[in-house]
């Protein structure tokens, strides 16, 4: 929405979330370092910096796993939506933890030689032609640069000035960073750590991310039961639509459609928010307006326009109710086109 | 990777970052308002300018291109 830029769009809920998140980060670091000392193999003696390197590395990896799981989890259960609303804060915090990890590695393993620390990072392990011995530090360095670009462009200014397309493409590179970090851990810590915690972190994390994305993709592709009448797509029985919430329909061609119910009114709009491409269908209806789960951008149900003085518009779709079943016309109206919502039990209900 | 190649790479990254800092400063002191009317003057407070500075420094080739070629204001 057009407005003055604010540093952080905090509200009481986001503040509480951040306090809980930072408390969790502190608890993890303290617990990890305590356990490291309690369980270190005989003859080993980790320095506090080495323990911190491991603690921040595993924490950043776990947090990135969680970030990647939030989207699919929020599609399955509303209970995960608070995390979806605060994913940007989790992402920036993850980058800062990864930055501490990288900084400590640079200081501890490369900072005491006469060679420039960054040069040392690239040449300390010269086995670039090996698979198992590949210099994993370089993979982590590239992943950190990607995470930096994502964290640095997470402010609203960037969406407005890069455009939603470039912004989203840039932030989809999180999957590249994640792949690099999996390789970074597999070729790094797992090669010389014998304690099971590192295998557990990597295996459980990567397995969960892959499984959730697969299940979520398969669920969203189930379109055979959507074929309705005269090209209209079946959405659901009226009673299946939760009040103030949406069901997301994905036509074979075209963008995903969010079909919202607000009391007796049912309306359909594009699932893509004009702000940062957020999934509107995972949001809810607040004060009669569809509200994006990511940053709270709002659109009126009846015409897909942001309430004045804002000017954003999204595509609307025609809906109808036949025999207690809701259908949507997959052909979008131009953004901001008025489209009367269907009324449950109203005159436009058929059958 | 040879030491010479690594030194060249690190030097290139350093130059990239240095130019990024310069372009970031240009944006902080007026450039942002030139491509985005909402970012003019008090529309982009100092602490927000500081917040977007690293991104401008990191993406400076793109932002420099925008500064000289963008004619239309951004969508929102």
């Amino acid at each position: 929405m057009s407005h003055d830029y604010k540093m952080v769009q905090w509200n009481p809920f986001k503040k509480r979330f951040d306090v809980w998140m930072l408390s969790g980060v502190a608890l993890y670091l303290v617990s990890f370092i305590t356990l490291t000392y309690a369980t270190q193999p005989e003859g080993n003696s980790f320095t506090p910096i080495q323990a911190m390197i491991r603690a921040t590395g595993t924490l950043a990896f776990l947090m990135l796993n969680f970030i990647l799981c939030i989207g699919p989890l929020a599609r399955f259960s509303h209970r995960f939506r608070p995390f979806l609303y605060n994913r940007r804060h989790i992402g920036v915090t993850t980058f800062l933890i990864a930055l501490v990890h990288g900084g400590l590695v640079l200081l501890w393993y490369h900072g005491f030689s006469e060679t420039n620390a960054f040069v040392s990072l690239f040449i300390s392990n010269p086995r670039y032609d090996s698979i198992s011995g590949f210099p994993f530090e370089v993979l982590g360095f590239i992943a950190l640069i990607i995470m930096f670009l994502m964290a640095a462009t997470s402010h609203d200014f960037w969406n407005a000035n890069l455009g939603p397309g470039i912004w989203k493409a840039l932030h989809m590179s999180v999957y590249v960073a994640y792949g690099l970090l999996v390789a970074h851990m597999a070729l790094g810590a797992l090669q010389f750590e014998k304690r099971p915690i590192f295998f557990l972190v990597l295996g459980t994390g990567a397995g969960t991310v892959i499984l959730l994305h697969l299940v979520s993709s398969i669920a969203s592709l189930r379109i055979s039961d959507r074929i309705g009448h005269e090209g209209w797509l079946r959405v659901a029985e009226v009673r299946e639509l939760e009040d103030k919430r949406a069901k997301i329909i994905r036509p074979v061609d075209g963008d995903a459609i969010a079909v919202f119910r607000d009391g007796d009114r049912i309306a359909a709009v594009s699932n893509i928010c004009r702000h940062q491409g957020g999934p509107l269908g995972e949001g809810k209806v607040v004060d009669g307006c569809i509200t994006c789960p990511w940053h709270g951008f709002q659109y009126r149900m009846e015409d897909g326009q942001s309430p004045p003085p804002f000017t954003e518009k999204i595509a609307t779709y025609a809906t109808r109710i036949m025999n207690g079943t809701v259908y949507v016309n997959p052909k979008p109206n131009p953004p901001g086109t008025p489209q009367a919502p269907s009324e449950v039990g109203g005159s436009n209900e058929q059958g | 990777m040879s030491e010479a190649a690594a030194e060249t790479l690190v030097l290139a990254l350093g130059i990239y970052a240095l130019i990024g800092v310069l372009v970031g400063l240009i944006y902080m002191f007026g450039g942002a308002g030139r491509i985005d009317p909402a970012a003019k003057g008090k529309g982009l407070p100092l602490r927000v300018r500081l917040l977007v500075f690293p991104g401008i420094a990191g993406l400076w080739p793109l932002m420099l291109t925008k500064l000289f070629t963008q004619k239309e204001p951004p969508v929102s």
Side-chain angles (χ1 to χ4, degrees), chain A residues 3-7 115-116 118-119 122-123 126 128 141 148-149 152-153 155 157-158 160-162 170 274 312, chain B residues 1-3 6-7 9-10 35-36 38-39 43-45 47-48 51-52 54-56 59 62-63 66 74-76:
Chain A
H3 53 66
D4 289 349
Y5 292 110
K6 290 185 172 59
M7 190 172 176
T115 311
N116 176 294
F118 287 99
V119 173
F122 287 108
I123 63 170
Y128 283 89
F141 180 73
F148 160 72
L149 289 176
T153 56
H155 192 269
F157 171 86
W158 289 102
N161 286 287
L162 291 179
L170 176 65
R274 287 284 291 153
E312 282 71 24
Chain B
M1 186 182 288
S2 69
E3 188 165 346
E7 281 174 351
L9 179 63
V10 170
I35 63 159
D36 181 357
L44 197 69
R47 35 190 198 168
V48 181
L51 201 64
V52 300
I56 294 166
L59 294 173
L62 182 64
M63 300 312 288
K66 269 186 176 292
V75 174
S76 61

Side-chain angles (χ1 to χ4, degrees), chain A residues 30-45:
Chain A
V30 170
S31 306
F32 190 97
I33 291 169
T34 307
L35 282 171
T36 295
Y37 280 108
T39 63
Q40 64 182 334
E42 219 167 293
N44 272 14
S45 178

Side-chain angles (χ1 to χ4, degrees), chain A residues 128-150:
Chain A
Y128 283 89
D129 54 351
S130 163
I131 293 176
S132 62
F134 193 86
F136 65 93
E137 301 93 335
V138 176
L139 302 175
F141 180 73
I142 299 169
L144 189 61
I145 288 179
I146 294 173
M147 290 168 76
F148 160 72
L149 289 176
M150 290 175 58

